[in-house]
Amino acid sequence: RENFIRLCNPHLEKMKEDILYHFALGTSTHDFPTLFGDVKFVCVGGSPSRMKAFIAYIAEELGLGSPGCDYPNICAGTDRYAMYKVGPILSVSHGMGIPSISIMLHELIKLLYHAKCSNITIIRIGTCGGIGLEPGSVVITRQSVDATFKPQLEQVVLGKTVIRSTNLDEQLAKELLQCSKEIGQFNTVIGNTMCTLDFYEGQGRLDGAICLYDEEEKLQYLKNAYESGVRNIEMESSVFAAMCNLSGVRAAVVCVALLNRLEEDQISSSHDVLVEYQQRPQKLVGYFIKKSLGKI
């Protein structure tokens, strides 16, 4: 059954042209169905270089490109985001934090809608701080929670607070966990992900420019988070989950923990170790895509 993007905006039908400003794309200047109509998997992550590395990795895994092949940035007309494509896979950067990923997702969802894409799976791959996990562990998000551990996104629209669900696709999370078991190379868990509005105070760090709480208060907060089911902290999952839910898109968040926040605030692993950690979500999602396409 074809599952098309559900666009929650009746005003777009009245527009002669839709300009995706931050992608440097537009419906009157680009043929969206021809360029993107075959897309089935979209992987998004904060860093442009990481998403370029992912498209090169998945192209090699699927045998869709030659080693060392350079993939052009589809959004080269802007410096806001980067986008790469190979076969049915789109790889897009989203920057850091809820505002940045929100802007990207508005335009990505419209792009997929204009391209008449169906049966889309969107997966955010990234890094995070773990809670009670060994560094290098991968967390698949069950639901995104706010800083008070509630599974919701609060957003102010026209001066009124709107509450949106932040649950993610349970079956997709289970499929990804099974893929990790088949790979058998690193620890992977399903747990709640706390999405915060900033990197320092919002995540209970002691090393920011401003910190008006002590270490005991910090540890108690993180232990409360762990007891509520939270296994990692990052800054994008809530709006990602909410917008994918509203658009009827199957979605998941897969992040690797670079440290255990119950033990430290600053990342102390070597560069080589961190590079290997950051490849783990790519390996897991790459394996999932290969399996979904019948390549395994």
Side-chain angles (χ1 to χ4, degrees), residues 126-138:
T127 59
C128 63
I131 301 182
L133 298 174
E134 287 296 314
S137 298
V138 173

Side-chain angles (χ1 to χ4, degrees), residues 140-142 169-182 190 250 252 284 288 291:
I140 302 166
T141 303
R142 175 183 291 111
D169 191 288
E170 184 178 355
Q171 181 57 37
L172 177 55
K174 291 179 179 178
E175 290 174 19
L176 287 162
L177 183 62
Q178 178 59 34
C179 285
S180 182
K181 291 178 180 178
E182 293 172 16
I190 294 178
R250 195 175 186 228
L284 175 51
F288 166 78
K291 187 175 181 181

Side-chain angles (χ1 to χ4, degrees), residues 14 20 29 50 69 74 76-77 113 124 132 171 173 207 210 214 216 231 242 270 275 280 295:
K14 304 172 185 177
L20 310 185
T29 54
R50 193 181 301 159
C69 179
I74 297 170
Y113 174 81
R124 167 171 140 66
Q171 181 57 37
D207 60 338
I210 299 170
D214 60 31
E216 184 179 346
R231 293 296 176 269
S270 69
V275 168
R280 293 181 179 185
K295 302 288 186 178

Side-chain angles (χ1 to χ4, degrees), residues 114-160:
H114 292 312
K116 297 179 171 58
C117 294
S118 64
N119 302 332
I120 293 290
T121 298
I122 303 181
I123 302 177
R124 167 171 140 66
I125 57 177
T127 59
C128 63
I131 301 182
L133 298 174
E134 287 296 314
S137 298
V138 173
V139 181
I140 302 166
T141 303
R142 175 183 291 111
Q143 58 183 190
S144 177
V145 301
D146 63 18
T148 65
F149 318 140
K150 295 177 183 177
Q152 63 184 34
L153 170 71
E154 284 193 17
Q155 186 167 351
V156 177
V157 180
L158 300 183
K160 298 177 182 178

Side-chain angles (χ1 to χ4, degrees), residues 9 14 62 74 112 168 197 240 250:
N9 184 356
K14 304 172 185 177
L62 296 175
I74 297 170
L112 297 171
L168 286 155
L197 299 179
F240 174 82
R250 195 175 186 228

Side-chain angles (χ1 to χ4, degrees), residues 64-75:
L64 296 175
S66 56
C69 179
D70 186 41
Y71 297 91
N73 178 10
I74 297 170
C75 299

